Amino acid sequence: MESMKFGVAFANVGPFVDPIAAIRLAQASEASGFESIWTVVHVVVPGGYQSKYPYDPSGRLPSGEGTVFPDPLMWLAYVASKTSTLRLGTGILIVPQRNPLVLAKELATLDYLSGGRLILGAGIGWLQEEFQALGIPFAGRGKRTEESIAAMRALWSEERASFEGTTASFADCYLRPQPPGGSIPVHLGGHSQAAARRAGRIGDGFFPMGISPEQLPPLLDIVRQGAEEAGRDPATIEVTVPCYATGGEEAMAQVTVLQGLGATRIIVPAALFGGDFETSLSHYGQDVIGRI
């Protein structure tokens, strides 16, 4: 299991909206051997929304409509300044809600300032009322996400970038700073077959949420097929999946199963580590990460 990576997920909500707790969580994660930390986002949550939240049987956000959702890029920039090796992941960022040129600038700046540590976990969104509040069409968001990613990659990698699409259209544009590594890894989030195909076609990674271990292999088959049809090597696509055991033999057993199914990164929700999270993270590092 030497290639397995570990991350701390849902890190910018709950107690970790507090600035001191945020730094403590990031530093403890880094010290305990976690490779990455991942954020969630909603710009706004319209009261009384009717859209179905896909990752809870109730169809509602478990944390409620009034949950505090700090901007993920600002939160990551804040903790980046107090860490040195921890990768910074958006898990996920709703790409079609944002102007791709502005987003490309924000992401490139954060990646540059953090020494190339950013991972863009990109999703298409589920909350139609949020799109309406932002004045952005809900329909067609999958296509716009793919176009935005292509436009951002051009801006990140080309000396003078040009792109022609319905989402963005520009010619001979300089975007500076550019990412130190020439681009930023893009991991496509979602639990649908369409999300899996998108990850295979254009993703550096796949980030399925809300699925059982039994549902993972069929989705990964779709990822591989999409990659092969696009002339890409499926082995280069990372697979990040959640695990809800926080230590001991139970966690080791789950990690073993998930790796056998094709996972390359395990993420554990930050809230599961409890109030004494620094001690719990350290134990996880010794009992699980240290044994991989």
Side-chain angles (χ1 to χ4, degrees):
M1 288 193 228
E2 56 189 13
S3 63
M4 181 64 74
K5 300 172 183 177
F6 291 84
V8 175
F10 311 117
N12 63 324
V13 293
F16 309 111
V17 303
D18 175 81
I20 295 176
I23 294 298
R24 287 174 54 201
L25 174 68
Q27 291 180 336
S29 299
E30 185 173 76
S32 299
F34 286 87
E35 169 256 2
S36 52
I37 195 164
W38 298 77
T39 56
V40 292
V41 65
H42 279 289
V43 177
V44 295
V45 178
Y49 65 85
Q50 297 300 305
S51 299
K52 183 179 179 181
Y53 177 65
Y55 305 119
D56 190 88
S58 69
R60 311 290 294 176
L61 286 166
S63 53
E65 295 179 345
T67 301
V68 179
F69 286 106
D71 179 87
L73 301 184
M74 290 189 179
W75 192 94
L76 288 171
Y78 179 71
V79 302
S81 68
K82 299 296 183 180
T83 55
S84 58
T85 62
L86 196 67
R87 301 293 302 276
L88 312 165
T90 60
I92 50 79
L93 191 73
I94 306 172
V95 168
Q97 291 182 345
R98 304 190 180 216
N99 179 290
L101 283 81
V102 176
L103 181 58
K105 181 75 165 188
E106 293 171 337
L107 293 169
T109 300
L110 176 51
D111 192 57
Y112 177 80
L113 292 175
S114 66
R117 289 191 275 152
L118 188 60
I119 301 171
L120 171 59
I124 68 171
W126 62 272
L127 185 52
Q128 184 171 355
E129 291 87 346
E130 182 179 21
F131 280 76
Q132 292 169 344
L134 292 167
I136 296 171
F138 189 67
R141 64 197 187 282
K143 179 182 178 182
R144 296 201 313 276
T145 296
E146 295 194 26
E147 277 204 352
S148 291
I149 291 168
M152 291 192 295
R153 283 173 166 164
L155 289 162
W156 292 334
S157 62
E158 297 175 11
E159 177 68 15
R160 293 197 307 180
S162 298
F163 183 83
E164 184 67 36
T166 58
T167 300
S169 180
F170 52 86
D172 296 326
C173 288
Y174 293 91
L175 183 132
R176 300 293 186 274
Q178 290 179 303
S183 191
I184 294 170
V186 180
H187 293 206
L188 277 300
H191 60 288
S192 66
Q193 293 184 10
R197 283 192 294 271
R198 185 176 296 116
R201 287 198 314 273
I202 67 171
D204 300 298
F206 181 43
F207 194 110
M209 292 293 294
I211 64 170
S212 66
E214 293 75 22
Q215 293 172 304
L216 183 59
L219 285 176
L220 295 187
D221 286 342
I222 294 172
V223 172
R224 283 189 284 269
Q225 181 181 357
E228 290 168 354
E229 290 174 354
R232 308 178 65 217
D233 180 1
T236 64
I237 301 173
E238 293 189 335
V239 179
T240 298
V241 297
C243 178
Y244 298 95
T246 56
E249 294 307 314
E250 181 184 6
M252 283 295 300
Q254 290 189 21
V255 169
T256 301
V257 168
L258 290 169
Q259 189 188 37
L261 295 175
T264 60
R265 179 184 290 104
I266 299 296
I267 54 172
V268 186
L272 295 185
F273 290 103
D276 188 8
F277 59 85
E278 287 157 315
T279 299
S280 297
L281 286 164
S282 178
H283 287 165
Y284 192 97
Q286 296 169 13
D287 299 340
V288 181
I289 299 175
R291 294 168 60 188
I292 302 302

